[in-house]
Amino acid sequence: MRKILIVPVLAGGLALAAAGCEVGKTVSSGTVEKQIDARFGPMYQSAGLGPAKASCPDDLKGKVGATLDCTVRDGKGGSHRLTVTVTSVKGSEVHFTMRAAS
């Protein structure tokens, strides 16, 4: 089951609907990157920024409050930092949100 959350993401009023689940107590960096790409891709395309490509340096630990800093690059050479935060762990599901890094 996926839980969708709406959080502010980028300057310019764009918002990101983000959540993720994965079996196990760790979410691989590749899974987090795919979630980011899926959520940002359509928004970046609509804003004329081209495709979104995420990069995360490590796996996300399945512990509430755990964070992971990732980077999203747009098709025009811009880059945007995101903080991914675990919001809940229910059994083997890890739920997380993404927001612009401060």
Side-chain angles (χ1 to χ4, degrees), residues 2 13 21 26 48 50 55-56 60 66-67 75 83 94 97 100:
R2 290 190 182 236
C21 305
T26 300
S55 174
C56 299
L60 179 62
T67 63
T83 299
V94 176
T97 60

Side-chain angles (χ1 to χ4, degrees), residues 1-2 10 21 36 42 49 70 74 85 90 97 99 102:
M1 178 171 117
R2 290 190 182 236
L10 299 173
C21 305
I36 293 170
L49 296 173
C70 299
D74 63 41
T85 304
K90 296 179 183 176
T97 60
R99 64 176 174 81
S102 47

Side-chain angles (χ1 to χ4, degrees), residues 3-29:
K3 178 179 176 184
I4 303 297
L5 302 173
I6 304 295
V7 294
V9 176
L10 299 173
L14 292 178
L16 169 67
C21 305
E22 181 166 298
V23 174
K25 296 291 182 178
T26 300
V27 182
S28 72
S29 60

Side-chain angles (χ1 to χ4, degrees), residues 19-33 35-36 56-70 82-89 93-98:
C21 305
E22 181 166 298
V23 174
K25 296 291 182 178
T26 300
V27 182
S28 72
S29 60
T31 296
V32 175
E33 291 165 354
Q35 289 276 332
I36 293 170
C56 299
D58 205 354
D59 294 343
L60 179 62
K61 292 183 178 20
K63 181 179 177 185
V64 173
T67 63
L68 178 63
D69 289 324
C70 299
L82 289 177
T83 299
V84 178
T85 304
V86 175
T87 56
S88 68
V89 178
E93 293 183 346
V94 176
H95 298 263
F96 55 88
T97 60
M98 302 170 221

